[in-house]
Amino acid sequence: MRTYRTRPFSSNQRLPDLETPPVLHEPEQAGELLAEFIHCHPRLMILTGAGVSTDSGIPDYRDGDGAWKRKQPVQHREFMESYETRQRYWGRSLIGWPVIRNAKPNPSHFHIAELEMRNHSSLVVTQNVDRLHQKAGTQGVSDLHGRADEVLCMSCGYRCSREEVHERCAELNPTFQDYKAEAAPDGDADLNVDFSGFRLADCPRCSGILKPDVVFFGDFVPKQRVDLAKDTLKASDGLLVIGSSLMVYSGFRFCRYAKELGKPIATLNLGRTRAEALAELKLNARIGETLRASLDHL
């Protein structure tokens, strides 16, 4: 059986340098161009990334050139093999998780939901784990990298809400709630303290390792999610990428697949993407305003 591992673009984690900076499109102009693309290709599969959720207060990982803004996220193997890594992850989560828990959909999420309502979206495949597309009303959503609001036991399959584990960790480690740090993506935080005394909340059923139901780096995207997206893309008129640099192969693979199928690709992102050579339409523009303008022209 073929498996699909999440892995980055390259060892230096950035796109090639340009002699001149990319042109920034004004939202009205970008919206007109996107509306023309949708008119020509009315039924799209939409792939979204962290740039869709930044206006909801959830930080992203990369800058406009695809380079890391902060330390790389936790690796699956390290999380599973290292007690210290799990202490650090869950300790930081006491600060970072509430940011995602309390986040509300922003205009971009609602505009994407409206594209579905107008029958321009066959499926939203999101690399985000915040569930904000669902909260905005989109019905057809595939959480490619899982969901941060649920926790899974890696031994017995016990499942519970993230909030339940968050509360247990807070009760076990009352002094950690006094720390302050900048939130990081996916429920993490930029907190650097001594975590050696942090007490973990293990599985209440079998004492196994609890892990958010999220695909960490180095983990595998479930095959059925990839197959669903590929089948949807095959039946769609094209691919629209919104708010993703596509630096992680788990998302970029769908651009390559679209190219193999002869499906047109449009990208809307504030900054460059890995699909520069593949996309028919490349829009470097503010996402929410551009989507609003495109809806006005449809």
Side-chain angles (χ1 to χ4, degrees):
M1 180 184 294
R2 188 177 181 185
T3 53
Y4 302 89
R5 187 186 296 272
T6 53
R7 60 183 188 269
F9 172 30
S10 64
S11 59
N12 63 3
Q13 294 296 321
R14 64 178 301 120
L15 293 164
D17 291 333
L18 295 177
E19 292 184 3
T20 57
V23 175
L24 180 66
H25 298 93
E26 289 300 319
E28 183 60 34
Q29 176 198 22
E32 288 187 30
L33 293 171
L34 181 56
E36 290 176 11
F37 181 87
I38 296 173
H39 275 304
C40 294
H41 317 289
R43 189 72 169 166
L44 300 168
M45 188 182 94
I46 299 176
L47 175 67
T48 68
V52 171
S53 293
T54 53
D55 285 346
S56 295
I58 299 176
D60 55 1
Y61 280 116
R62 300 177 187 274
D63 63 20
D65 291 319
W68 293 103
K69 290 182 177 179
R70 49 177 48 86
K71 290 183 179 179
Q72 295 184 24
V74 65
Q75 301 286 314
H76 176 77
R77 183 174 179 178
E78 292 177 8
F79 183 90
M80 294 301 300
E81 294 182 354
S82 170
Y83 186 84
E84 290 76 16
T85 296
R86 295 196 296 277
Q87 286 179 305
R88 184 171 64 251
Y89 178 85
W90 286 111
R92 290 175 169 178
S93 177
L94 282 180
I95 297 172
W97 163 242
V99 173
I100 293 184
R101 179 194 64 199
N102 299 333
K104 306 295 183 184
N106 66 60
S108 296
H109 296 106
F110 291 110
H111 297 332
I112 291 169
E114 187 171 345
L115 284 172
E116 179 188 65
M117 186 179 67
R118 297 192 191 187
N119 294 317
H120 291 308
S121 169
S122 51
L123 180 70
V124 174
V125 178
T126 184
Q127 299 173 102
N128 301 335
V129 297
D130 51 40
R131 303 283 289 178
L132 292 180
H133 283 300
Q134 289 90 338
K135 291 179 181 178
T138 301
Q139 299 295 310
V141 184
S142 176
D143 297 306
L144 188 66
H145 293 159
R147 49 189 297 179
D149 63 339
E150 292 190 348
V151 171
L152 185 68
C153 175
M154 304 305 289
S155 297
C156 73
Y158 169 83
R159 184 181 292 272
C160 66
S161 72
R162 175 73 168 265
E163 190 62 20
E164 179 181 325
V165 178
H166 178 77
E167 291 176 359
R168 288 174 58 198
C169 285
E171 291 172 1
L172 290 169
N173 305 275
T175 60
F176 272 79
Q177 297 183 77
D178 297 332
Y179 289 121
K180 306 293 182 184
E182 183 179 350
D186 300 342
D188 200 357
D190 295 327
L191 179 66
N192 294 298
V193 297
D194 181 8
F195 294 99
S196 61
F198 189 88
R199 298 174 63 192
L200 294 175
D202 293 324
C203 175
R205 182 185 293 169
C206 74
S207 299
I209 295 173
L210 292 179
K211 174 183 172 291
D213 191 13
V214 168
V215 179
F216 285 172
F217 275 75
D219 196 1
F220 294 98
V221 177
K223 183 177 183 295
Q224 61 268 29
R225 294 179 197 166
V226 178
D227 289 345
L228 171 64
K230 292 175 74 173
D231 290 343
T232 301
L233 184 55
K234 189 180 297 184
S236 299
D237 298 321
L239 174 64
L240 171 58
V241 179
I242 306 176
S244 176
S245 63
L246 299 168
M247 295 294 282
V248 177
Y249 186 75
S250 58
F252 178 65
R253 70 157 62 92
F254 299 115
C255 293
R256 295 182 62 176
Y257 188 58
K259 199 66 176 179
E260 291 171 7
L261 292 171
K263 305 284 185 178
I265 302 168
T267 61
L268 168 59
N269 188 56
L270 196 56
R272 293 187 292 155
T273 78
R274 188 179 175 185
E276 299 289 302
L278 302 178
E280 175 181 303
L281 176 65
K282 300 180 287 290
L283 299 173
N284 176 24
R286 295 187 296 277
I287 293 169
E289 296 169 60
T290 298
L291 290 173
R292 178 68 268 165
S294 70
L295 287 166
D296 290 341
H297 289 284
L298 288 175

